[in-house]
Every structure is written in C-alpha cells, then in structure tokens.
Amino acid sequence: MKSTADDTDPAELLDRLLELTLLLTDDMDRELARVGLSPPRAHLIWVLAERGASMQQQLATDLKVTARNITALVDGLTESGFVSREVHPTDRRAFLVTLTEKGRRTVDQLARERVELAEGLFGVLAGEERSALLAGLTGVTLRLNHQITTAGHTPAEPTP
Amino acid sequence: MKSTADDTDPAELLDRLLELTLLLTDDMDRELARVGLSPPRAHLIWVLAERGASMQQQLATDLKVTARNITALVDGLTESGFVSREVHPTDRRAFLVTLTEKGRRTVDQLARERVELAEGLFGVLAGEERSALLAGLTGVTLRLNHQITTAGHTPAEPTP
DNA sequence: TATTGTTATACTCTATAACTATA
DNA sequence: TATAGTTATAGAGTATAACAATA
C-alpha cells in the first residue's frame, strides 16, 4: 500500500497519538469503574500486587503522591474491601498495607483483561508490523524522555 | 535493521504504549501548569478557540461534563483572566463565554508548543517511517473504537 | 532527632438536585 | 413547559502544615 503523499505531518501524528491516548484511558477507566475502582486506587493495588505488602511511605514514593494521600486511598480501599492494614512486624509506627482475597482476585482479573485488550489491539498485526510499531513507540518515548530531562521546553520564568 | 526475534508480545506493546501515554500527559500537564492552567481549563479554552465564543451549554456538551461544572471552570478562568462572560445578543438567559486577549495568546502559545513537541518527537523520522507509524496508530485506534462500540469487553453484570 | 501516619485545612474537578430567570 | 445558568450539597483526589507515637 503506497501513501498518496509521503508528507505525514508531525503534528498530525501527535494528534493521532493523543486521540488514541484519550480513547485508551477512557476505556480503561470505564473498566476500573466496573469493578469498583478509581484510577488512583487501581494504581495502588496494582503496585501492591507487584511489590507485595508495603508500608504507606513506600506507596507514597511509588505513586508519587504525598503520604496524606495514601492514607485517604488506603482508607477507601479498606472500606471497599480490596486491602487491609496489617501490623508491621518490627516497626510499631507503620502498617503493612496488604491485598485481601478480593483485592488479589481483582488485580488478577484486570491483568487478564489487559492481555485480552492487547490481543484485540495488536493480535491481528504480523510479527513484523508489531516489531516496527514497538520500535516506533520506543523511539518516541526515548526522545520524549530526553527532552524532558534535558530542557524545560520553554525557558520559563523563575517562579513568578 | 532486523530484530533478533519476531515475537513481539502484544502485551509488551500495550505496556509501551501506556508508558508513552503517561509520559506524554504528564509532560503536557506540566506545560499547562506553567501557564497557569489545569487540564480541564485548558481543554475549555482550546475548544473555545476552535468554536469561537460559546454558550455554557454548548461547552458542557463539548467537554462532556455537566453544566454545573462549566460554571465552575468558567468562574476559574474568568478569575485568572483567560475568558470573560459576555451578554448573549438574543438570549438573555445565556452568556457567551469569550476568550480574552490573554486567553487568545495562551492558546496560540500552547498550539506552537504542540507543534514544537511534534517536531521533536517525530521530526527525525523519515517520511516513510512517519507514514508507517501513523498507519499503525490509526489501525489500533480503529480496532479500539470498534471494540468499545461493539461489546462492553467483559459480559459485565447487569448493574450490580 | 528523624520517621510513620494522622488530623486539620484548602483547592480543583466531578455529580445530582432544587431553584431563578428567561424562552 | 422547557432551557440557561446558578446555588446547595457531596465525594474523590491532591497538597501543606502541625501533631502523635515510635524509631
């Protein structure tokens, strides 16, 4: 298949990427809502599944929010039965936030749905096409990361 | 360039896409914060720039939020000087939310930064590579849209 | 003295429902 | 009667600051 013109505008490409981004996050948020989770709460139990039972401070670092916020998120997740606060074996100041059985099942389900979604979106592509797309996305990610760490885009006033 | 193995996992591809998604939105949100805008407020003035001065009901439809929310967003944007509420020429119940000079300048600046970002991310690609990436993203978007409109992913309980 | 988590406050975004003033 | 926008109320997520208990 030959494109009629090889002048794909970078801005057009970015618009498409953003459109896809929006669609994807909306879709995932709907799925989360279906199982009774907000995006931040889902993020928390997802991290919990990866790290195992954790102190709230650790979660605050992982989710990049304040400790105060973790208190609120864990409160909500406890009330809805996804996690519980267990005593810390050595530090009596701290809790070990732990997935309940329901929490574990939910994370497993979300993980399965994620794989299904991936299959639905990329499964029809030939292996070659998948590699090409992966390479393209990886390149964009690298350049974006570089831009972010290097400069602050525009000069920016020194805190107005 | 030949990949060592042609077995790119769909799930891996989705993870990369989500990683990029996260990076992109964080980057853009930082830029918005720099000019004094939250994402919803930026969305509103962006739409306003596209449509021209609009009634709040119209904005509620466009942004897919309640009219009550538009009141709050316009309040904030008015206070920070990006928009103003002008009288509607024919309907005395309604306002015409209008970009101020500052609002117009800000939208223009954001549009420029968007083009710059696109150049930084996709400019180095050959025209051919850009077309391929665009095709890949478009395909994914189509399949996602189809999945969303067709089924609700998982059967889903009929409202628990 | 430093750290863990909480209470106290506050701001933004979001939603529903009831109300005012127009159409 | 229906529509445009508001007030009233509520809940989630976020942040800072002050404070408790424990390291």
Side-chain angles (χ1 to χ4, degrees), chain B residues 21-74:
Chain B
T21 277
L22 192 64
L23 218 53
L24 251 185
T25 53
D26 281 358
D27 183 53
M28 293 191 307
D29 290 356
R30 264 193 305 274
E31 281 300 306
L32 293 178
R34 272 207 340 106
V35 300
L37 287 168
S38 65
R41 290 181 188 181
H43 190 183
L44 195 153
I45 66 172
W46 190 268
V47 165
L48 218 48
E50 283 177 337
R51 302 195 72 104
S54 310
M55 288 200 315
Q56 298 189 184
Q57 280 294 340
Q58 180 65 57
L59 293 172
T61 305
D62 289 348
L63 303 201
K64 299 191 211 308
V65 296
T66 61
R68 175 61 185 90
N69 257 306
I70 297 297
T71 298
L73 293 175
V74 171

Side-chain angles (χ1 to χ4, degrees), chain A residues 9-10 23 27 30 44 78 91 112 122 129 133 140 148 152:
Chain A
D9 185 10
L23 218 54
D27 183 54
R30 264 193 306 274
L44 195 154
T78 299
D91 190 336
R112 279 195 306 275
F122 305 112
E129 293 174 296
L133 192 50
V140 173
I148 291 171

Side-chain angles (χ1 to χ4, degrees), chain A residues 14 24 29 39 43 48 53 55 57 77 81 85 87 91 108 129 138 144 154:
Chain A
L14 179 58
L24 251 185
D29 290 355
H43 189 183
L48 219 48
M55 287 200 316
Q57 280 295 340
L77 285 166
R85 276 191 252 243
V87 297
D91 190 336
D108 287 349
E129 293 174 296
T138 304
L144 180 53
T154 319

Side-chain angles (χ1 to χ4, degrees), chain A residues 22-151:
Chain A
L22 192 64
L23 218 54
L24 251 185
T25 54
D26 281 359
D27 183 54
M28 293 192 307
D29 290 355
R30 264 193 306 274
E31 281 301 307
L32 294 178
R34 272 205 341 105
V35 300
L37 287 168
S38 64
R41 290 181 187 181
H43 189 183
L44 195 154
I45 66 172
W46 190 268
V47 165
L48 219 48
E50 283 177 336
R51 302 194 71 104
S54 309
M55 287 200 316
Q56 298 189 183
Q57 280 295 340
Q58 179 66 57
L59 293 172
T61 304
D62 289 348
L63 302 202
K64 298 192 210 311
V65 296
T66 61
R68 176 60 186 90
N69 258 304
I70 298 297
T71 297
L73 293 174
V74 171
D75 282 353
L77 285 166
T78 299
E79 207 171 329
S80 42
F82 293 96
V83 308
S84 65
R85 276 191 252 243
E86 306 294 335
V87 297
H88 192 290
T90 64
D91 190 336
R92 288 193 304 182
R93 294 171 304 180
F95 292 117
L96 275 183
V97 182
T98 309
L99 280 179
T100 60
E101 173 56 28
K102 174 182 178 182
R104 166 61 60 184
R105 267 190 287 110
T106 304
V107 171
D108 287 349
Q109 181 188 341
L110 292 178
R112 279 195 306 275
E113 284 174 358
R114 189 151 159 163
V115 170
E116 277 172 32
L117 177 61
E119 290 291 345
L121 297 184
F122 305 112
V124 297
L125 295 179
E128 216 178 76
E129 293 174 296
R130 280 208 289 268
S131 314
L133 192 50
L134 179 64
L137 293 179
T138 304
V140 173
T141 302
L142 283 175
R143 288 190 289 279
L144 180 53
N145 253 320
H146 182 257
Q147 265 185 230
I148 291 171
T149 54
T150 296

Side-chain angles (χ1 to χ4, degrees), chain B:
Chain B
M1 214 182 291
K2 228 176 171 178
S3 45
T4 44
D6 229 28
D7 60 342
T8 304
D9 184 11
E12 156 81 2
L13 203 39
L14 179 58
D15 281 352
R16 290 309 187 93
L17 180 54
L18 293 175
E19 181 195 352
L20 175 54
T21 277
L22 192 64
L23 218 53
L24 251 185
T25 53
D26 281 358
D27 183 53
M28 293 191 307
D29 290 356
R30 264 193 305 274
E31 281 300 306
L32 293 178
R34 272 207 340 106
V35 300
L37 287 168
S38 65
R41 290 181 188 181
H43 190 183
L44 195 153
I45 66 172
W46 190 268
V47 165
L48 218 48
E50 283 177 337
R51 302 195 72 104
S54 310
M55 288 200 315
Q56 298 189 184
Q57 280 294 340
Q58 180 65 57
L59 293 172
T61 305
D62 289 348
L63 303 201
K64 299 191 211 308
V65 296
T66 61
R68 175 61 185 90
N69 257 306
I70 297 297
T71 298
L73 293 175
V74 171
D75 282 352
L77 285 166
T78 299
E79 208 172 328
S80 42
F82 292 95
V83 308
S84 64
R85 278 190 250 243
E86 307 294 336
V87 298
H88 192 291
T90 64
D91 190 337
R92 287 193 305 183
R93 294 170 305 179
F95 291 117
L96 275 183
V97 182
T98 309
L99 281 178
T100 60
E101 174 56 28
K102 173 182 178 181
R104 167 59 61 184
R105 268 189 286 111
T106 304
V107 171
D108 287 348
Q109 181 189 340
L110 292 177
R112 280 195 305 274
E113 285 174 357
R114 190 149 158 167
V115 170
E116 278 172 30
L117 177 61
E119 289 291 346
L121 296 184
F122 305 112
V124 297
L125 296 178
E128 218 177 73
E129 293 175 296
R130 280 208 289 268
S131 314
L133 192 49
L134 180 63
L137 292 179
T138 303
V140 173
T141 302
L142 283 174
R143 287 190 290 280
L144 181 53
N145 253 320
H146 182 257
Q147 265 185 233
I148 291 172
T149 54
T150 297
H153 271 198
T154 318
E157 309 83 281
T159 317

